Amino acid sequence: MAERPGRAPFDAVLCDVDNVIRSYDPSALHALERAAGLAEGTTAKVAFVPETALPVLLGRVDLQEWVQAIAEGLSGLVPEESTAWELGTALLESPFSADETVVALLRRARTRVPLVLVSNATVRLEDDLTALGLADLADEVVNSARVGLAKPDPRIYRLAADLAGVRPERCLFIDDTEENTEAATALGMQPVHFRTAADLERALEPLFAP
């Protein structure tokens, strides 16, 4: 069926959270890493390898069990077990903030079409959104730790589209990870590989066209 003149090429927006809406400040963690003789970013590399990250992102282990797994992964890199735990805890407790430009664009988009957040996250996500003042940002939140599915599993994309009440091919999907946007493309979604707020703004332009 041909699109109506002036109609946006999508009827719902599905959006990632981390590194799109929310960013973390790793400065305290990096200071601890330097003090421990580690390269900055080492803790995150250990924490987010699939065998360490997926259990917590799928809700199979709790946050302290995740910190324990991170500490175990660091055990050969730092001399003291307590240091490994401190690093894992610092990663978990890293402060975060929202990109107000992205938030404003998404709030505007939601006045036109449903907005669903789709995030590989821990069980803290909903509380974190509340802490950011974003509990009301979206119509639905699909949190991997709550639904037991994680991107790029196609089932989490279909779930998000169903919650939006829209066919996958009528969804705009925004994510900072190319693997996740490729999975969206395979389902017929319209992908946006997010790098800056300008990427989102360009993608949403048809929605705001007169």
PDB file of all heavy atoms in Angstrom, residues 14-23 98-103 105-106 173-181 190-204:
ATOM      1  N   LEU A  14      11.128   3.086  18.348  1.00  0.00           N
ATOM      2  CA  LEU A  14      11.727   2.181  19.329  1.00  0.00           C
ATOM      3  C   LEU A  14      13.136   2.690  19.585  1.00  0.00           C
ATOM      4  O   LEU A  14      13.918   2.841  18.648  1.00  0.00           O
ATOM      5  CB  LEU A  14      11.765   0.745  18.814  1.00  0.00           C
ATOM      6  CG  LEU A  14      10.496   0.182  18.173  1.00  0.00           C
ATOM      7  CD1 LEU A  14      10.705  -1.287  17.787  1.00  0.00           C
ATOM      8  CD2 LEU A  14       9.294   0.334  19.078  1.00  0.00           C
ATOM      9  N   CYS A  15      13.473   2.944  20.850  1.00  0.00           N
ATOM     10  CA  CYS A  15      14.743   3.611  21.137  1.00  0.00           C
ATOM     11  C   CYS A  15      15.503   2.933  22.269  1.00  0.00           C
ATOM     12  O   CYS A  15      14.933   2.609  23.312  1.00  0.00           O
ATOM     13  CB  CYS A  15      14.488   5.068  21.496  1.00  0.00           C
ATOM     14  SG  CYS A  15      15.985   6.069  21.655  1.00  0.00           S
ATOM     15  N   ASP A  16      16.791   2.761  22.047  1.00  0.00           N
ATOM     16  CA  ASP A  16      17.715   2.294  23.071  1.00  0.00           C
ATOM     17  C   ASP A  16      17.832   3.338  24.175  1.00  0.00           C
ATOM     18  O   ASP A  16      17.455   4.505  23.995  1.00  0.00           O
ATOM     19  CB  ASP A  16      19.073   2.050  22.397  1.00  0.00           C
ATOM     20  CG  ASP A  16      20.101   1.420  23.305  1.00  0.00           C
ATOM     21  OD1 ASP A  16      19.723   0.758  24.287  1.00  0.00           O
ATOM     22  OD2 ASP A  16      21.300   1.607  23.024  1.00  0.00           O
ATOM     23  N   VAL A  17      18.372   2.936  25.327  1.00  0.00           N
ATOM     24  CA  VAL A  17      18.563   3.867  26.438  1.00  0.00           C
ATOM     25  C   VAL A  17      20.037   4.248  26.595  1.00  0.00           C
ATOM     26  O   VAL A  17      20.416   5.409  26.415  1.00  0.00           O
ATOM     27  CB  VAL A  17      18.014   3.285  27.759  1.00  0.00           C
ATOM     28  CG1 VAL A  17      18.338   4.213  28.929  1.00  0.00           C
ATOM     29  CG2 VAL A  17      16.505   3.058  27.657  1.00  0.00           C
ATOM     30  N   ASP A  18      20.881   3.274  26.904  1.00  0.00           N
ATOM     31  CA  ASP A  18      22.271   3.600  27.220  1.00  0.00           C
ATOM     32  C   ASP A  18      23.044   4.027  25.984  1.00  0.00           C
ATOM     33  O   ASP A  18      22.961   3.400  24.926  1.00  0.00           O
ATOM     34  CB  ASP A  18      22.956   2.419  27.900  1.00  0.00           C
ATOM     35  CG  ASP A  18      22.455   2.232  29.323  1.00  0.00           C
ATOM     36  OD1 ASP A  18      22.098   3.245  29.969  1.00  0.00           O
ATOM     37  OD2 ASP A  18      22.414   1.086  29.793  1.00  0.00           O
ATOM     38  N   ASN A  19      23.783   5.116  26.130  1.00  0.00           N
ATOM     39  CA  ASN A  19      24.579   5.736  25.066  1.00  0.00           C
ATOM     40  C   ASN A  19      23.722   6.391  23.994  1.00  0.00           C
ATOM     41  O   ASN A  19      24.245   6.805  22.951  1.00  0.00           O
ATOM     42  CB  ASN A  19      25.558   4.736  24.440  1.00  0.00           C
ATOM     43  CG  ASN A  19      26.500   4.154  25.469  1.00  0.00           C
ATOM     44  OD1 ASN A  19      27.056   4.885  26.295  1.00  0.00           O
ATOM     45  ND2 ASN A  19      26.660   2.843  25.449  1.00  0.00           N
ATOM     46  N   VAL A  20      22.422   6.483  24.250  1.00  0.00           N
ATOM     47  CA  VAL A  20      21.523   7.252  23.400  1.00  0.00           C
ATOM     48  C   VAL A  20      20.836   8.304  24.275  1.00  0.00           C
ATOM     49  O   VAL A  20      21.071   9.494  24.129  1.00  0.00           O
ATOM     50  CB  VAL A  20      20.490   6.349  22.693  1.00  0.00           C
ATOM     51  CG1 VAL A  20      19.525   7.198  21.852  1.00  0.00           C
ATOM     52  CG2 VAL A  20      21.178   5.320  21.814  1.00  0.00           C
ATOM     53  N   ILE A  21      20.017   7.833  25.205  1.00  0.00           N
ATOM     54  CA  ILE A  21      19.349   8.737  26.143  1.00  0.00           C
ATOM     55  C   ILE A  21      20.243   9.025  27.345  1.00  0.00           C
ATOM     56  O   ILE A  21      20.330  10.152  27.816  1.00  0.00           O
ATOM     57  CB  ILE A  21      18.017   8.119  26.616  1.00  0.00           C
ATOM     58  CG1 ILE A  21      17.062   7.940  25.433  1.00  0.00           C
ATOM     59  CG2 ILE A  21      17.387   8.965  27.717  1.00  0.00           C
ATOM     60  CD1 ILE A  21      15.836   7.122  25.763  1.00  0.00           C
ATOM     61  N   ARG A  22      20.889   7.989  27.826  1.00  0.00           N
ATOM     62  CA  ARG A  22      21.675   8.093  29.064  1.00  0.00           C
ATOM     63  C   ARG A  22      23.149   7.843  28.780  1.00  0.00           C
ATOM     64  O   ARG A  22      23.513   6.968  27.996  1.00  0.00           O
ATOM     65  CB  ARG A  22      21.164   7.053  30.072  1.00  0.00           C
ATOM     66  CG  ARG A  22      22.097   6.816  31.237  1.00  0.00           C
ATOM     67  CD  ARG A  22      21.492   5.975  32.317  1.00  0.00           C
ATOM     68  NE  ARG A  22      21.301   4.577  31.986  1.00  0.00           N
ATOM     69  CZ  ARG A  22      20.938   3.643  32.873  1.00  0.00           C
ATOM     70  NH1 ARG A  22      20.716   3.994  34.129  1.00  0.00           N
ATOM     71  NH2 ARG A  22      20.779   2.389  32.507  1.00  0.00           N
ATOM     72  N   SER A  23      23.998   8.613  29.460  1.00  0.00           N
ATOM     73  CA  SER A  23      25.437   8.363  29.408  1.00  0.00           C
ATOM     74  C   SER A  23      25.989   8.312  30.820  1.00  0.00           C
ATOM     75  O   SER A  23      25.417   8.891  31.756  1.00  0.00           O
ATOM     76  CB  SER A  23      26.153   9.448  28.596  1.00  0.00           C
ATOM     77  OG  SER A  23      25.951  10.713  29.202  1.00  0.00           O
ATOM     78  N   ALA A  98      21.159  12.278  31.626  1.00  0.00           N
ATOM     79  CA  ALA A  98      20.408  12.172  30.382  1.00  0.00           C
ATOM     80  C   ALA A  98      20.833  13.263  29.411  1.00  0.00           C
ATOM     81  O   ALA A  98      21.207  14.366  29.822  1.00  0.00           O
ATOM     82  CB  ALA A  98      18.919  12.279  30.652  1.00  0.00           C
ATOM     83  N   ASP A  99      20.783  12.943  28.134  1.00  0.00           N
ATOM     84  CA  ASP A  99      21.029  13.921  27.081  1.00  0.00           C
ATOM     85  C   ASP A  99      19.721  14.687  26.861  1.00  0.00           C
ATOM     86  O   ASP A  99      18.756  14.133  26.307  1.00  0.00           O
ATOM     87  CB  ASP A  99      21.471  13.204  25.798  1.00  0.00           C
ATOM     88  CG  ASP A  99      21.850  14.155  24.681  1.00  0.00           C
ATOM     89  OD1 ASP A  99      21.136  15.167  24.503  1.00  0.00           O
ATOM     90  OD2 ASP A  99      22.828  13.877  23.972  1.00  0.00           O
ATOM     91  N   GLU A 100      19.683  15.927  27.278  1.00  0.00           N
ATOM     92  CA  GLU A 100      18.435  16.679  27.239  1.00  0.00           C
ATOM     93  C   GLU A 100      17.965  16.937  25.805  1.00  0.00           C
ATOM     94  O   GLU A 100      16.764  17.047  25.560  1.00  0.00           O
ATOM     95  CB  GLU A 100      18.595  17.989  28.004  1.00  0.00           C
ATOM     96  CG  GLU A 100      18.817  17.792  29.500  1.00  0.00           C
ATOM     97  CD  GLU A 100      17.717  16.992  30.176  1.00  0.00           C
ATOM     98  OE1 GLU A 100      16.545  17.067  29.721  1.00  0.00           O
ATOM     99  OE2 GLU A 100      18.021  16.280  31.152  1.00  0.00           O
ATOM    100  N   THR A 101      18.888  17.029  24.865  1.00  0.00           N
ATOM    101  CA  THR A 101      18.483  17.215  23.473  1.00  0.00           C
ATOM    102  C   THR A 101      17.758  15.986  22.963  1.00  0.00           C
ATOM    103  O   THR A 101      16.696  16.077  22.321  1.00  0.00           O
ATOM    104  CB  THR A 101      19.708  17.515  22.587  1.00  0.00           C
ATOM    105  OG1 THR A 101      20.354  18.691  23.063  1.00  0.00           O
ATOM    106  CG2 THR A 101      19.293  17.717  21.139  1.00  0.00           C
ATOM    107  N   VAL A 102      18.312  14.804  23.257  1.00  0.00           N
ATOM    108  CA  VAL A 102      17.666  13.548  22.861  1.00  0.00           C
ATOM    109  C   VAL A 102      16.310  13.412  23.536  1.00  0.00           C
ATOM    110  O   VAL A 102      15.310  13.046  22.905  1.00  0.00           O
ATOM    111  CB  VAL A 102      18.579  12.354  23.188  1.00  0.00           C
ATOM    112  CG1 VAL A 102      17.827  11.037  23.021  1.00  0.00           C
ATOM    113  CG2 VAL A 102      19.824  12.377  22.306  1.00  0.00           C
ATOM    114  N   VAL A 103      16.256  13.708  24.821  1.00  0.00           N
ATOM    115  CA  VAL A 103      14.991  13.607  25.555  1.00  0.00           C
ATOM    116  C   VAL A 103      13.934  14.519  24.934  1.00  0.00           C
ATOM    117  O   VAL A 103      12.782  14.116  24.726  1.00  0.00           O
ATOM    118  CB  VAL A 103      15.202  13.943  27.043  1.00  0.00           C
ATOM    119  CG1 VAL A 103      13.864  14.114  27.757  1.00  0.00           C
ATOM    120  CG2 VAL A 103      16.023  12.854  27.718  1.00  0.00           C
ATOM    121  N   LEU A 105      13.749  15.613  21.863  1.00  0.00           N
ATOM    122  CA  LEU A 105      13.337  15.075  20.564  1.00  0.00           C
ATOM    123  C   LEU A 105      12.374  13.906  20.738  1.00  0.00           C
ATOM    124  O   LEU A 105      11.368  13.798  20.017  1.00  0.00           O
ATOM    125  CB  LEU A 105      14.568  14.626  19.776  1.00  0.00           C
ATOM    126  CG  LEU A 105      15.438  15.737  19.190  1.00  0.00           C
ATOM    127  CD1 LEU A 105      16.782  15.171  18.735  1.00  0.00           C
ATOM    128  CD2 LEU A 105      14.726  16.425  18.020  1.00  0.00           C
ATOM    129  N   LEU A 106      12.654  13.036  21.690  1.00  0.00           N
ATOM    130  CA  LEU A 106      11.787  11.879  21.907  1.00  0.00           C
ATOM    131  C   LEU A 106      10.431  12.298  22.475  1.00  0.00           C
ATOM    132  O   LEU A 106       9.400  11.730  22.111  1.00  0.00           O
ATOM    133  CB  LEU A 106      12.474  10.876  22.828  1.00  0.00           C
ATOM    134  CG  LEU A 106      13.692  10.170  22.241  1.00  0.00           C
ATOM    135  CD1 LEU A 106      14.371   9.310  23.304  1.00  0.00           C
ATOM    136  CD2 LEU A 106      13.314   9.315  21.030  1.00  0.00           C
ATOM    137  N   PHE A 173      13.880   2.363  14.498  1.00  0.00           N
ATOM    138  CA  PHE A 173      14.642   1.756  15.591  1.00  0.00           C
ATOM    139  C   PHE A 173      15.971   2.480  15.750  1.00  0.00           C
ATOM    140  O   PHE A 173      16.748   2.569  14.793  1.00  0.00           O
ATOM    141  CB  PHE A 173      14.887   0.272  15.301  1.00  0.00           C
ATOM    142  CG  PHE A 173      15.702  -0.418  16.360  1.00  0.00           C
ATOM    143  CD1 PHE A 173      15.098  -0.908  17.494  1.00  0.00           C
ATOM    144  CD2 PHE A 173      17.074  -0.555  16.215  1.00  0.00           C
ATOM    145  CE1 PHE A 173      15.850  -1.530  18.489  1.00  0.00           C
ATOM    146  CE2 PHE A 173      17.838  -1.159  17.203  1.00  0.00           C
ATOM    147  CZ  PHE A 173      17.227  -1.650  18.339  1.00  0.00           C
ATOM    148  N   ILE A 174      16.231   2.980  16.957  1.00  0.00           N
ATOM    149  CA  ILE A 174      17.439   3.766  17.233  1.00  0.00           C
ATOM    150  C   ILE A 174      18.298   3.031  18.246  1.00  0.00           C
ATOM    151  O   ILE A 174      17.829   2.656  19.319  1.00  0.00           O
ATOM    152  CB  ILE A 174      17.070   5.156  17.797  1.00  0.00           C
ATOM    153  CG1 ILE A 174      16.148   5.906  16.842  1.00  0.00           C
ATOM    154  CG2 ILE A 174      18.315   5.968  18.111  1.00  0.00           C
ATOM    155  CD1 ILE A 174      14.836   6.278  17.466  1.00  0.00           C
ATOM    156  N   ASP A 175      19.591   2.857  17.908  1.00  0.00           N
ATOM    157  CA  ASP A 175      20.515   2.165  18.819  1.00  0.00           C
ATOM    158  C   ASP A 175      21.939   2.592  18.479  1.00  0.00           C
ATOM    159  O   ASP A 175      22.230   2.907  17.323  1.00  0.00           O
ATOM    160  CB  ASP A 175      20.369   0.646  18.648  1.00  0.00           C
ATOM    161  CG  ASP A 175      20.867  -0.143  19.841  1.00  0.00           C
ATOM    162  OD1 ASP A 175      22.104  -0.172  20.070  1.00  0.00           O
ATOM    163  OD2 ASP A 175      20.048  -0.737  20.557  1.00  0.00           O
ATOM    164  N   ASP A 176      22.804   2.587  19.488  1.00  0.00           N
ATOM    165  CA  ASP A 176      24.191   2.972  19.249  1.00  0.00           C
ATOM    166  C   ASP A 176      25.058   1.803  18.816  1.00  0.00           C
ATOM    167  O   ASP A 176      26.225   2.007  18.453  1.00  0.00           O
ATOM    168  CB  ASP A 176      24.800   3.599  20.515  1.00  0.00           C
ATOM    169  CG  ASP A 176      24.969   2.590  21.636  1.00  0.00           C
ATOM    170  OD1 ASP A 176      23.951   2.000  22.047  1.00  0.00           O
ATOM    171  OD2 ASP A 176      26.105   2.383  22.113  1.00  0.00           O
ATOM    172  N   THR A 177      24.522   0.581  18.856  1.00  0.00           N
ATOM    173  CA  THR A 177      25.296  -0.616  18.520  1.00  0.00           C
ATOM    174  C   THR A 177      24.891  -1.125  17.143  1.00  0.00           C
ATOM    175  O   THR A 177      23.710  -1.424  16.902  1.00  0.00           O
ATOM    176  CB  THR A 177      25.068  -1.708  19.573  1.00  0.00           C
ATOM    177  OG1 THR A 177      25.451  -1.212  20.854  1.00  0.00           O
ATOM    178  CG2 THR A 177      25.892  -2.954  19.254  1.00  0.00           C
ATOM    179  N   GLU A 178      25.869  -1.228  16.261  1.00  0.00           N
ATOM    180  CA  GLU A 178      25.564  -1.596  14.878  1.00  0.00           C
ATOM    181  C   GLU A 178      24.941  -2.985  14.782  1.00  0.00           C
ATOM    182  O   GLU A 178      24.036  -3.213  13.961  1.00  0.00           O
ATOM    183  CB  GLU A 178      26.832  -1.523  14.030  1.00  0.00           C
ATOM    184  CG  GLU A 178      26.577  -1.632  12.549  1.00  0.00           C
ATOM    185  CD  GLU A 178      27.795  -1.277  11.725  1.00  0.00           C
ATOM    186  OE1 GLU A 178      28.889  -1.068  12.300  1.00  0.00           O
ATOM    187  OE2 GLU A 178      27.655  -1.206  10.492  1.00  0.00           O
ATOM    188  N   GLU A 179      25.395  -3.915  15.600  1.00  0.00           N
ATOM    189  CA  GLU A 179      24.808  -5.261  15.586  1.00  0.00           C
ATOM    190  C   GLU A 179      23.303  -5.200  15.849  1.00  0.00           C
ATOM    191  O   GLU A 179      22.527  -5.954  15.248  1.00  0.00           O
ATOM    192  CB  GLU A 179      25.489  -6.136  16.642  1.00  0.00           C
ATOM    193  CG  GLU A 179      24.966  -7.562  16.691  1.00  0.00           C
ATOM    194  CD  GLU A 179      25.607  -8.395  17.793  1.00  0.00           C
ATOM    195  OE1 GLU A 179      26.153  -7.802  18.750  1.00  0.00           O
ATOM    196  OE2 GLU A 179      25.556  -9.633  17.693  1.00  0.00           O
ATOM    197  N   ASN A 180      22.895  -4.307  16.719  1.00  0.00           N
ATOM    198  CA  ASN A 180      21.471  -4.203  17.051  1.00  0.00           C
ATOM    199  C   ASN A 180      20.673  -3.545  15.927  1.00  0.00           C
ATOM    200  O   ASN A 180      19.527  -3.926  15.666  1.00  0.00           O
ATOM    201  CB  ASN A 180      21.295  -3.421  18.354  1.00  0.00           C
ATOM    202  CG  ASN A 180      21.866  -4.160  19.539  1.00  0.00           C
ATOM    203  OD1 ASN A 180      22.074  -5.363  19.494  1.00  0.00           O
ATOM    204  ND2 ASN A 180      22.140  -3.435  20.610  1.00  0.00           N
ATOM    205  N   THR A 181      21.254  -2.549  15.267  1.00  0.00           N
ATOM    206  CA  THR A 181      20.541  -1.940  14.146  1.00  0.00           C
ATOM    207  C   THR A 181      20.469  -2.906  12.964  1.00  0.00           C
ATOM    208  O   THR A 181      19.472  -2.918  12.239  1.00  0.00           O
ATOM    209  CB  THR A 181      21.193  -0.613  13.708  1.00  0.00           C
ATOM    210  OG1 THR A 181      22.555  -0.833  13.349  1.00  0.00           O
ATOM    211  CG2 THR A 181      21.121   0.414  14.828  1.00  0.00           C
ATOM    212  N   GLN A 190      13.236   0.345  10.275  1.00  0.00           N
ATOM    213  CA  GLN A 190      14.055   1.410   9.716  1.00  0.00           C
ATOM    214  C   GLN A 190      15.085   1.813  10.765  1.00  0.00           C
ATOM    215  O   GLN A 190      14.726   2.376  11.798  1.00  0.00           O
ATOM    216  CB  GLN A 190      13.167   2.583   9.323  1.00  0.00           C
ATOM    217  CG  GLN A 190      12.142   2.187   8.260  1.00  0.00           C
ATOM    218  CD  GLN A 190      11.035   3.188   8.119  1.00  0.00           C
ATOM    219  OE1 GLN A 190      11.304   4.351   7.838  1.00  0.00           O
ATOM    220  NE2 GLN A 190       9.803   2.758   8.314  1.00  0.00           N
ATOM    221  N   PRO A 191      16.354   1.498  10.540  1.00  0.00           N
ATOM    222  CA  PRO A 191      17.360   1.648  11.590  1.00  0.00           C
ATOM    223  C   PRO A 191      18.016   3.028  11.605  1.00  0.00           C
ATOM    224  O   PRO A 191      18.167   3.678  10.571  1.00  0.00           O
ATOM    225  CB  PRO A 191      18.394   0.586  11.217  1.00  0.00           C
ATOM    226  CG  PRO A 191      18.361   0.568   9.715  1.00  0.00           C
ATOM    227  CD  PRO A 191      16.913   0.835   9.348  1.00  0.00           C
ATOM    228  N   VAL A 192      18.403   3.439  12.800  1.00  0.00           N
ATOM    229  CA  VAL A 192      19.236   4.621  12.979  1.00  0.00           C
ATOM    230  C   VAL A 192      20.403   4.203  13.864  1.00  0.00           C
ATOM    231  O   VAL A 192      20.207   3.862  15.037  1.00  0.00           O
ATOM    232  CB  VAL A 192      18.477   5.782  13.659  1.00  0.00           C
ATOM    233  CG1 VAL A 192      19.411   6.970  13.871  1.00  0.00           C
ATOM    234  CG2 VAL A 192      17.258   6.172  12.851  1.00  0.00           C
ATOM    235  N   HIS A 193      21.609   4.197  13.282  1.00  0.00           N
ATOM    236  CA  HIS A 193      22.807   3.903  14.082  1.00  0.00           C
ATOM    237  C   HIS A 193      23.205   5.204  14.766  1.00  0.00           C
ATOM    238  O   HIS A 193      23.794   6.090  14.150  1.00  0.00           O
ATOM    239  CB  HIS A 193      23.916   3.358  13.202  1.00  0.00           C
ATOM    240  CG  HIS A 193      25.124   2.928  13.961  1.00  0.00           C
ATOM    241  ND1 HIS A 193      26.348   2.722  13.369  1.00  0.00           N
ATOM    242  CD2 HIS A 193      25.315   2.662  15.289  1.00  0.00           C
ATOM    243  CE1 HIS A 193      27.224   2.352  14.276  1.00  0.00           C
ATOM    244  NE2 HIS A 193      26.622   2.322  15.453  1.00  0.00           N
ATOM    245  N   PHE A 194      22.879   5.325  16.037  1.00  0.00           N
ATOM    246  CA  PHE A 194      23.031   6.580  16.774  1.00  0.00           C
ATOM    247  C   PHE A 194      24.481   6.848  17.135  1.00  0.00           C
ATOM    248  O   PHE A 194      25.170   6.001  17.688  1.00  0.00           O
ATOM    249  CB  PHE A 194      22.197   6.514  18.057  1.00  0.00           C
ATOM    250  CG  PHE A 194      22.240   7.764  18.892  1.00  0.00           C
ATOM    251  CD1 PHE A 194      21.272   8.741  18.741  1.00  0.00           C
ATOM    252  CD2 PHE A 194      23.238   7.976  19.826  1.00  0.00           C
ATOM    253  CE1 PHE A 194      21.301   9.908  19.504  1.00  0.00           C
ATOM    254  CE2 PHE A 194      23.288   9.125  20.592  1.00  0.00           C
ATOM    255  CZ  PHE A 194      22.311  10.091  20.430  1.00  0.00           C
ATOM    256  N   ARG A 195      24.918   8.068  16.826  1.00  0.00           N
ATOM    257  CA  ARG A 195      26.224   8.551  17.283  1.00  0.00           C
ATOM    258  C   ARG A 195      26.076   9.863  18.038  1.00  0.00           C
ATOM    259  O   ARG A 195      26.714  10.063  19.060  1.00  0.00           O
ATOM    260  CB  ARG A 195      27.180   8.712  16.096  1.00  0.00           C
ATOM    261  CG  ARG A 195      27.486   7.393  15.374  1.00  0.00           C
ATOM    262  CD  ARG A 195      28.316   7.636  14.118  1.00  0.00           C
ATOM    263  NE  ARG A 195      28.534   6.407  13.356  1.00  0.00           N
ATOM    264  CZ  ARG A 195      27.666   5.916  12.469  1.00  0.00           C
ATOM    265  NH1 ARG A 195      26.512   6.524  12.252  1.00  0.00           N
ATOM    266  NH2 ARG A 195      27.951   4.806  11.799  1.00  0.00           N
ATOM    267  N   THR A 196      25.235  10.754  17.493  1.00  0.00           N
ATOM    268  CA  THR A 196      24.964  12.037  18.144  1.00  0.00           C
ATOM    269  C   THR A 196      23.479  12.339  18.035  1.00  0.00           C
ATOM    270  O   THR A 196      22.757  11.707  17.250  1.00  0.00           O
ATOM    271  CB  THR A 196      25.756  13.190  17.500  1.00  0.00           C
ATOM    272  OG1 THR A 196      25.208  13.460  16.197  1.00  0.00           O
ATOM    273  CG2 THR A 196      27.238  12.855  17.371  1.00  0.00           C
ATOM    274  N   ALA A 197      23.044  13.344  18.794  1.00  0.00           N
ATOM    275  CA  ALA A 197      21.635  13.740  18.745  1.00  0.00           C
ATOM    276  C   ALA A 197      21.223  14.166  17.342  1.00  0.00           C
ATOM    277  O   ALA A 197      20.048  14.042  16.970  1.00  0.00           O
ATOM    278  CB  ALA A 197      21.380  14.859  19.743  1.00  0.00           C
ATOM    279  N   ALA A 198      22.175  14.649  16.560  1.00  0.00           N
ATOM    280  CA  ALA A 198      21.855  15.062  15.194  1.00  0.00           C
ATOM    281  C   ALA A 198      21.350  13.886  14.357  1.00  0.00           C
ATOM    282  O   ALA A 198      20.503  14.066  13.472  1.00  0.00           O
ATOM    283  CB  ALA A 198      23.073  15.692  14.534  1.00  0.00           C
ATOM    284  N   ASP A 199      21.863  12.683  14.614  1.00  0.00           N
ATOM    285  CA  ASP A 199      21.387  11.499  13.894  1.00  0.00           C
ATOM    286  C   ASP A 199      19.908  11.270  14.166  1.00  0.00           C
ATOM    287  O   ASP A 199      19.127  10.962  13.267  1.00  0.00           O
ATOM    288  CB  ASP A 199      22.182  10.255  14.323  1.00  0.00           C
ATOM    289  CG  ASP A 199      23.655  10.355  13.995  1.00  0.00           C
ATOM    290  OD1 ASP A 199      23.990  10.855  12.911  1.00  0.00           O
ATOM    291  OD2 ASP A 199      24.474   9.924  14.834  1.00  0.00           O
ATOM    292  N   LEU A 200      19.527  11.413  15.432  1.00  0.00           N
ATOM    293  CA  LEU A 200      18.126  11.235  15.808  1.00  0.00           C
ATOM    294  C   LEU A 200      17.261  12.338  15.211  1.00  0.00           C
ATOM    295  O   LEU A 200      16.173  12.070  14.686  1.00  0.00           O
ATOM    296  CB  LEU A 200      18.004  11.226  17.332  1.00  0.00           C
ATOM    297  CG  LEU A 200      16.590  11.119  17.901  1.00  0.00           C
ATOM    298  CD1 LEU A 200      15.924   9.827  17.453  1.00  0.00           C
ATOM    299  CD2 LEU A 200      16.623  11.212  19.430  1.00  0.00           C
ATOM    300  N   GLU A 201      17.749  13.558  15.268  1.00  0.00           N
ATOM    301  CA  GLU A 201      16.978  14.679  14.740  1.00  0.00           C
ATOM    302  C   GLU A 201      16.677  14.499  13.256  1.00  0.00           C
ATOM    303  O   GLU A 201      15.548  14.719  12.799  1.00  0.00           O
ATOM    304  CB  GLU A 201      17.723  15.988  14.982  1.00  0.00           C
ATOM    305  CG  GLU A 201      16.946  17.226  14.610  1.00  0.00           C
ATOM    306  CD  GLU A 201      17.625  18.501  15.065  1.00  0.00           C
ATOM    307  OE1 GLU A 201      18.844  18.468  15.346  1.00  0.00           O
ATOM    308  OE2 GLU A 201      16.940  19.537  15.118  1.00  0.00           O
ATOM    309  N   ARG A 202      17.695  14.078  12.491  1.00  0.00           N
ATOM    310  CA  ARG A 202      17.485  13.855  11.050  1.00  0.00           C
ATOM    311  C   ARG A 202      16.467  12.744  10.817  1.00  0.00           C
ATOM    312  O   ARG A 202      15.611  12.849   9.932  1.00  0.00           O
ATOM    313  CB  ARG A 202      18.817  13.500  10.375  1.00  0.00           C
ATOM    314  CG  ARG A 202      19.724  14.687  10.135  1.00  0.00           C
ATOM    315  CD  ARG A 202      20.877  14.308   9.224  1.00  0.00           C
ATOM    316  NE  ARG A 202      21.741  13.298   9.845  1.00  0.00           N
ATOM    317  CZ  ARG A 202      22.784  13.586  10.611  1.00  0.00           C
ATOM    318  NH1 ARG A 202      23.098  14.841  10.862  1.00  0.00           N
ATOM    319  NH2 ARG A 202      23.526  12.621  11.124  1.00  0.00           N
ATOM    320  N   ALA A 203      16.562  11.673  11.608  1.00  0.00           N
ATOM    321  CA  ALA A 203      15.649  10.543  11.413  1.00  0.00           C
ATOM    322  C   ALA A 203      14.207  10.910  11.720  1.00  0.00           C
ATOM    323  O   ALA A 203      13.270  10.371  11.109  1.00  0.00           O
ATOM    324  CB  ALA A 203      16.090   9.376  12.292  1.00  0.00           C
ATOM    325  N   LEU A 204      14.011  11.827  12.659  1.00  0.00           N
ATOM    326  CA  LEU A 204      12.653  12.199  13.074  1.00  0.00           C
ATOM    327  C   LEU A 204      12.049  13.304  12.208  1.00  0.00           C
ATOM    328  O   LEU A 204      10.859  13.597  12.327  1.00  0.00           O
ATOM    329  CB  LEU A 204      12.659  12.646  14.530  1.00  0.00           C
ATOM    330  CG  LEU A 204      12.956  11.564  15.572  1.00  0.00           C
ATOM    331  CD1 LEU A 204      13.022  12.179  16.960  1.00  0.00           C
ATOM    332  CD2 LEU A 204      11.921  10.444  15.532  1.00  0.00           C
TER     333      LEU A 204
END
